[in-house]
Amino acid sequence: MLQILYNDGHIVAVVKPAGVLSEDKGEGSMPALLRAELGCAYIGCVHRLDRGVGGVMVYALDQPSCGKLSAMVASHQMVKEYLAVVHGCLESPKGEMRDLLFKDSARNKSFVVKRMRKGVREAVLHYQLLETIERENGTFSLVQIRLETGRSHQIRVQFSSRKMPLVGDRRYGSREDADGVKLWSYRIMLPDGKVFCCDPPEGFSI
């Protein structure tokens, strides 16, 4: 059974389990699971989470609501916050990361590049360091992140490019054994004041 956080008949906020596709790509994807759970014919996907990442997502239950939510995403009015466990320690306890990202669709991997060209898009996030601990196998930090843009693998590649890959993210440089990538969609806020929040599962933090 899905963890439904909010449902007003027009939009639904739900916790996506890690390992489930966020887009409508057949049986077992979040839209398919929501149709079965809610008995709805229409589920509109307006933002995505990587398959291996879990946490809060918002879907539309009708086409007008899908248009409104899509406009919120495009204008950065839907605020999305994440928790991540990364290797290393940030130089500043809070700040901004601003990069140019290129997505290699053939390899399903994004890269930080130095100049604008075809296929390159600006990526911006804001972070706050919550905790850092030292272990025998290295230094690890718990970080809260607010996305200003929503690029493919954005959080993962921006931190990795600064030698701080997310724990468990072998695609972007982590060598630490973990049960999936340590990234969680923690909170979504809409411009009308609605806030949907869910803490990460036990064992997520450092």
Side-chain angles (χ1 to χ4, degrees):
M1 180 178 292
L2 294 174
Q3 184 178 352
I4 304 294
L5 303 175
Y6 177 86
N7 180 0
D8 65 2
H10 300 285
I11 68 171
V12 58
V14 60
V15 178
K16 183 186 90 69
V20 175
L21 285 169
S22 59
E23 297 177 276
D24 198 352
K25 293 188 176 180
E27 187 177 353
S29 66
M30 279 302 297
L33 295 174
L34 281 168
R35 281 192 289 268
E37 181 90 10
L38 303 177
C40 297
Y42 181 91
I43 299 291
C45 181
V46 298
H47 66 114
R48 297 182 297 170
L49 278 181
D50 295 341
R51 184 171 190 160
V53 176
V56 181
M57 292 195 70
V58 176
Y59 290 88
L61 300 179
D62 53 55
Q63 289 186 342
S65 299
C66 188
K68 291 177 183 178
L69 288 173
S70 296
M72 291 178 199
V73 173
S75 60
H76 311 302
Q77 294 184 76
M78 179 186 287
V79 179
K80 294 176 281 185
E81 294 184 347
Y82 298 77
L83 294 173
V85 181
V86 305
H87 292 270
C89 181
L90 293 129
E91 293 182 0
S92 173
K94 63 188 303 183
E96 175 187 274
M97 292 184 183
R98 185 178 294 267
D99 295 294
L100 297 176
L101 296 191
F102 173 75
K103 182 181 179 181
D104 185 336
S105 297
R107 297 169 62 186
N108 190 29
K109 192 172 181 179
S110 294
F111 300 88
V112 171
V113 296
K114 293 184 178 180
R115 61 181 179 85
M116 185 63 72
R117 63 179 190 269
K118 184 178 180 181
V120 172
R121 303 179 75 183
E122 186 177 45
V124 184
L125 62 79
H126 306 270
Y127 69 83
Q128 180 172 343
L129 177 64
L130 301 180
E131 183 184 5
T132 297
I133 64 169
E134 299 281 349
R135 290 180 176 166
E136 291 183 359
N137 58 337
T139 303
F140 301 89
S141 297
L142 177 64
V143 188
Q144 184 171 330
I145 299 156
R146 177 168 58 86
L147 283 182
E148 189 170 316
T149 57
R151 310 307 183 202
S152 179
H153 299 176
Q154 178 179 335
I155 294 172
R156 297 163 62 185
V157 69
Q158 284 194 278
F159 276 87
S160 176
S161 71
R162 291 163 172 82
K163 311 299 182 185
M164 293 180 291
L166 274 62
V167 171
D169 192 359
R170 293 185 174 274
R171 179 182 291 268
Y172 288 101
S174 175
R175 296 182 179 179
E176 188 76 12
D177 288 330
D179 185 18
V181 179
K182 293 289 187 176
L183 180 63
W184 182 260
S185 175
Y186 168 65
R187 179 163 52 198
I188 291 178
M189 294 173 280
L190 302 185
D192 63 2
K194 292 185 180 71
V195 179
F196 314 118
C197 185
C198 182
D199 290 331
E202 186 177 353
F204 176 89
S205 67
I206 57 176

